[in-house]
Amino acid sequence: MDSLITAAARALAAGDPLGALKRVALRDDPPALALRGIAMAQLGELARARDLLRQAGRAFGAHEARARARCAVAEAEVALALRDLGGQGQALLAAADTLQAHGDAINALQARLVAARRLILLGRLAQASAALAAVQAAGMPAQLPAPLAAVAALTAAELALRTLHIDAADAALQRAAEAAGHAGVPALVAEVAHARTLLQQPAARRLGPGTEHLLQLRDVAALRAAGDTLVVDACRHGVQAGGAWHPLARRPVLFALVRALAQAWPGDADRDTLIADVFRTRHPDETHRARLRVEMGRLRALMAPLAGVEATARGFVLRPQGGRGVAVLAPPVDGAQGALLALLSDGAAWSTSALALALGDSQRTVQRALAELEAGGQVRAIGQARARRWLAAPLVGFTTILLLPTAQPIP
């Protein structure tokens, strides 16, 4: 390795991309292309960075597997920042194995952390947890650089926050803050500081008859863990009591009914009010009342392990099993597109395909939702055709963690 390449690499490690570019900006050999790509990524020119890293990966020879694997890891990290989430998982793990086989434990760890963060972003929390457990099982390198230690702790904190393990998240964020302070990289320090503020911001509203209380993530976790309350969760569209979780995201009518019953608890909910709120009509007739009876029958069968649904003279009432109380958790923002806005509120430019992948919906469904939000001025598009990306203003004053998609119930 020549002296200019060495000096540029040291500049990048110190967070000085301009210093690195001064040394390699006019060179097109593979090591220089890779360093230029990393420098452009640090400067925020992500599209250009990915192009340079691809060129570098192709330019390295077949016998330079370690260098090509490093380029693949760097390109995957840039793709993550670009919210290009498709088709990287296996390639990234293959690159990690290659690096580990060549004795490059530091970059192998970096690859596995990028893979874990991608899974967290997609809401595949069980897979992300398994990936991080594999990292711990393999053992951390003895001399872990401070920036990588901060990223490792931050990744663990993100997963703990998404699964509402608040004490574990707090401890991981403390480790991340210490490591980021040692690293002295401003972007990393800011990212950790932002993550710590999430613990202090409202995450949900607890609704009752005529009342509303703001809850932080710690309050929500305590409410779920208590086990003496039937929680109707309008953030993740499901019902929880103790360790039992019933997802209702694919059954919106049943969820709307159980939410209305929970909000009226301990009283009953009026039939005409239920029809107006759930079926969107203010002129109910016998067909609507018949449909309400059918849907209530379905809800009664579904909720039987957790609560009874009884008919009253005026309507219906919820009767939780085991003398539990009832709580309704509402999202901090109203509207049907909370998960979409929560993803977009991270400030990154998302493609429609990445949003569809994260939400588990079709691209056409996401396109319709984005069109509605754009008409309401809540999101905006940049670029055209396949290069089109979507942006939204940050949602200030509360955390949207409970609105983010997850492919599993919260354990």
Side-chain angles (χ1 to χ4, degrees):
M1 187 178 294
D2 63 49
S3 59
L4 284 178
I5 293 294
T6 303
R10 286 176 178 166
L12 287 175
D16 181 15
L18 295 178
L21 287 174
K22 285 179 182 176
R23 294 170 173 85
V24 296
L26 300 179
R27 293 176 52 169
D28 288 327
D29 54 291
L33 286 172
L35 292 173
R36 285 170 58 193
I38 296 170
M40 297 305 286
Q42 289 189 6
L43 290 170
E45 296 291 337
L46 299 179
R48 178 59 177 154
R50 183 160 63 175
D51 289 343
L52 289 167
L53 289 167
R54 282 179 177 170
Q55 290 179 41
R58 288 194 293 265
F60 280 116
H63 61 287
E64 297 173 294
R66 179 179 173 184
R68 287 192 289 122
R70 284 180 171 181
C71 289
V73 174
E75 185 182 341
E77 194 167 5
V78 171
L80 189 66
L82 284 168
R83 299 298 186 260
D84 183 359
L85 305 179
Q88 306 162 6
Q90 293 303 318
L92 198 50
L93 294 179
D97 291 341
T98 300
L99 291 166
Q100 194 76 47
H102 284 77
D104 191 348
I106 298 293
N107 283 305
L109 174 61
Q110 175 79 5
R112 294 192 172 98
L113 290 176
V114 172
R117 298 189 83 172
R118 172 181 173 272
L119 292 170
I120 293 172
L121 204 54
L122 289 172
R124 299 172 184 173
L125 303 186
Q127 295 178 45
S129 180
L132 287 181
V135 168
Q136 296 293 337
M140 292 286 184
Q143 298 295 327
L144 194 62
L148 191 55
V151 171
L154 194 55
T155 305
E158 287 176 359
L159 180 61
L161 284 172
R162 291 285 291 272
T163 53
L164 287 184
H165 294 138
I166 304 303
D167 289 338
D170 205 6
L173 286 172
Q174 179 63 35
R175 297 197 303 273
E178 292 172 359
H182 287 304
V185 179
L188 198 52
V189 172
E191 188 174 357
V192 175
H194 172 70
R196 299 188 83 174
T197 62
L198 300 181
L199 291 174
Q200 310 301 325
Q201 293 179 331
R205 297 173 291 151
R206 180 172 179 172
L207 305 181
T211 63
E212 178 178 314
H213 301 286
L214 292 177
L215 301 181
Q216 296 178 352
L217 286 172
R218 190 177 296 279
D219 302 324
V220 174
L223 181 64
R224 289 177 179 276
D228 60 354
T229 304
L230 179 75
V231 179
V232 178
D233 189 344
C235 299
R236 305 203 182 197
H237 292 85
V239 180
Q240 183 173 7
W245 167 259
H246 284 249
L248 293 173
R250 302 295 180 184
R251 307 192 72 171
V253 171
L254 296 189
F255 181 76
L257 286 173
V258 73
R259 176 177 174 171
L261 293 177
Q263 285 189 233
W265 188 86
D268 57 353
D270 179 72
R271 287 184 177 81
D272 288 344
T273 303
L274 287 171
I275 290 171
D277 291 347
V278 177
F279 302 149
R280 308 292 182 189
T281 178
R282 301 206 174 273
H283 304 287
D285 55 25
E286 283 306 314
T287 61
H288 294 110
R289 296 187 181 93
R291 185 185 173 194
L292 180 62
R293 289 194 293 274
V294 170
E295 298 292 354
M296 279 297 181
R298 291 170 177 162
L299 181 63
R300 188 177 291 115
L302 189 69
M303 294 286 294
L306 305 180
V309 178
E310 298 178 2
T312 66
R314 201 171 71 99
F316 295 90
V317 65
L318 199 61
R319 302 290 189 198
Q321 305 286 4
R324 290 189 175 98
V326 176
V328 179
L329 285 182
V333 288
D334 290 319
Q337 309 301 341
L340 196 53
L341 287 173
L343 286 171
L344 290 168
S345 67
D346 66 0
W350 286 73
S351 66
T352 303
S353 60
L355 288 169
L357 194 61
L359 293 171
D361 290 329
S362 69
Q363 289 195 41
R364 186 68 192 110
T365 299
V366 173
Q367 285 169 351
R368 284 196 294 267
L370 287 169
E372 292 176 8
L373 292 173
E374 186 179 29
Q378 294 178 274
V379 302
R380 63 186 176 89
I382 56 174
Q384 297 293 329
R386 297 184 63 180
R388 169 164 286 197
R389 296 291 185 272
W390 295 91
L391 292 164
L395 300 174
V396 180
F398 50 83
T399 174
T400 57
I401 282 180
L402 295 178
L403 295 177
L404 292 171
T406 176
Q408 65 171 23
I410 298 173

